Amino acid sequence: MIFLFKALSRIEWLFIRIFFSNLTSNLVSIMNRLPIIVFLISVLSCQPENKPYQSISTLSPSGNLELTFFLNSFGEPGYLLKKGNSVVLDTGYISFDFKDISPIGSGLSIVETIEETFDETWEMPWGEDREVRNHNNELFVALKETGELGRLINLRFKLYDDGLGFRTEFPEQGNLGEVVIMDENTQFNLTGDHKTWWIPGDWDIYEHLYSTSKFSEIDAKGYENDENLAQTYIPENAVNTPVTLKTEDRIYLSFHEANLTDYSGMTLKVNTEKLMFESELVGAPDGSKVKTKTPFVTPWRTVQVADRAGDLIESKLIVNLNEPNKLDDFSWFKPMKYMGIWWEMHLDKSSWDVAAGKHGATTENTKKYVDFASENNIGGLLVEGWNTGWESWIDVEDREGIFDFVTPYPDYDLEEVVRYGKEKDVDLIMHHETSAAPRTYEQQLDTAYRLMESLGIHAVKTGYVGQIIPKGERHHGQWMVNHYRRVLEKGVEHKVAINAHEPIKATGLRRTYPNAISREGLRGQEFNAWAKDGGNPPEHLPIVAFTRMLAGPIDFTPGIFNIKLDPYKENNQVNTTLAHQLALYVVIYSPVQMAADLVEHYENQPAFEFIRNVGVDWEQSKVLDGEIGDFVVIARQERGTDKWFLGAITDEEAREMEISFSFLESGKEYNAVLYADEENAHWDENPQEIRITEKAVNQKTTLPVKLAPGGGIAISIIPR
Ligand code: NOJ
Ligand code: CA
């Protein structure tokens, strides 16, 4: 009999495992929804190691989700996730491959399990909501190898009503010290060929257009050779996270990670046959994935689960899985709207460098922007191209030492513009384009941030355009993850908040480091100015709101009024209506929100009134409606006031909808100003026509509204 079992192939064992895992999950559901179910059964007395199959289940606080941890007869750990009676993630395993030492992930036995309930409410220093409830049931499982090595790992699962986070912990131990991880194999086993909104698992950039396809039709390699990108590397058929899916039963799932610390970013390899995602970490030049030593933990692997697409946006799972605020004093940063000497360079109206003869960052031009910002309730001004190096920063192999982060060009009087800004209540925002030479940046970091501190500049936009030097390191690998972290920590030291472009993805670290204010990490507005493939289509942001935005704040740079980009860019345009651009101030969340267009495009424009008034820091946010890739409607209450702002955007389809104002305080009267698409507006044929009307509204009001193709509506709602 034993011989017979030994002769069975790995595949045959897999079938046996699946059979018994299904049996186990059915039995679990019979167990009548107890808060914590401990369930151990012995299923096969004649397996090779004669091990029992063990499983432990736990419910989310309201009982809507159920997580089952199990150890199969090989001592392999895995999990299964159910929503009500349906399995949303089937049997998925977790294991690790190392360099020079044997893998961990089989021959394990349970040493201890601990179940705990956690419930706290914490305050965001800035954010979509002031108060955040962090309520989860935790299952901790300590495991030990039964073999000679006896190595230890722990699995920690946190089950929320809005999803699951789990991570592997490697305690300090004699038989496991320094390790080189060659692969983390965490599986997310889908139960169908779900509709998926995805970008490729690029190790260097997230600036791709989203695709919508069945899971089995994901083809990341089709994204190779994007001529718009200064860097891209897509080694596998994998996707980046957050990746969002919709099941046939209309359940929404989104996969991501939280608290990415001293580890590589995770892409998800697509197994189109098994309908399964498997973690694929971004690699280092030597082919390894992570170099570390015990004790260490992986980032949280996260799965958001929702009945409504909008609930994905309201979910706080990602920030909740991060550590509390580390900063004692953060009063030096205030959320703000900002303008920039920026779009004019992307339009080629001016240049970053001086040699081209049309330098944008001059003292005089900066003062012009300061004046306009100051008169229009805009608190910040970004100035790009202020420092030496721009003549030769791109298209050169060796970019070390090119940029200097303290030396202005001769026509830019840094101290004078800072002084002028302060006089007019406009804070300068520093710009550091590193040209993906992080070692040069780190050498100057302390000096550069000291200079900012001495001038009272509290925010910097960083940039990492190009292939990372040293060659072979990737933007999303451990080496760069650690670089981005050092920049944040240096920022804490010198009271500097960071808005990173070409960043590592947001994983909720803003909770721990609120100076991580915003980042790019998507195909931003700039692509509309110069992309060779026609810019971002109208459906771009109705997808982004349910994918990239689940990770955290986005520096998208909305507010382009000159939609056709005349006379600067004949072959490019913004592919939305003007009302859609206004709605983005509410739809897209960021504590720094740019009014991106040129001063002359805002002057004498009645629609600019919305940007002047709109809030940038929120007491609460409500996603009223939405469908991924189609439309989204969000209302946000400004912090410290009773004002509300509402934004709705649609894809290339026109839409009619009823907006209910039931989110308003009862018994209060408000004045609403509606910035709507004109009757015949259209993102391409007639993008600029906008109708501005006023209405009295209260909690009982419902208003029918129409969005044009590629259109939107923005509404300011001010108490009377
Ligand atoms: C790319 C950034 O996304 C853009 O905003 C910036 O202007 C350029 N790099 C130059 O740093
Ligand atoms: Ca960029």
Side-chain angles (χ1 to χ4, degrees), residues 510-548:
R510 61 177 161 140
R511 179 174 181 194
T512 318
Y513 298 92
N515 67 319
I517 46 173
S518 197
R519 74 192 72 206
E520 191 185 40
L522 87 168
R523 219 170 115 122
Q525 182 90 277
E526 62 190 32
F527 277 76
N528 292 325
W530 42 253
K532 298 181 185 95
D533 51 14
N536 303 329
E539 68 161 13
H540 185 53
L541 289 155
I543 299 179
V544 162
F546 299 97
T547 49
R548 159 66 182 85

Side-chain angles (χ1 to χ4, degrees), residues 88 188 254 257 313 385 512 586:
V88 286
F188 304 89
S254 189
E257 57 184 311
I313 301 175
T512 318
V586 187

Side-chain angles (χ1 to χ4, degrees), residues 342 346 352 384 390 431 433 461 465 501-502 520 526:
W342 177 76
H346 288 273
W352 282 274
E384 294 200 4
W390 290 90
H431 184 236
E433 172 56 66
K461 169 179 168 181
V465 172
H501 279 228
E502 298 77 43
E520 191 185 40
E526 62 190 32

Side-chain angles (χ1 to χ4, degrees), residues 25-37:
S25 67
N26 289 336
L27 286 169
V28 167
S29 69
I30 294 165
M31 298 276 306
N32 226 359
R33 311 216 134 268
L34 297 171
I36 298 290
I37 306 162

Side-chain angles (χ1 to χ4, degrees), residues 289-301:
K289 300 297 174 67
V290 176
K291 297 186 180 77
T292 185
K293 62 172 193 292
T294 58
F296 72 95
V297 297
T298 70
W300 296 97
R301 279 49 186 106

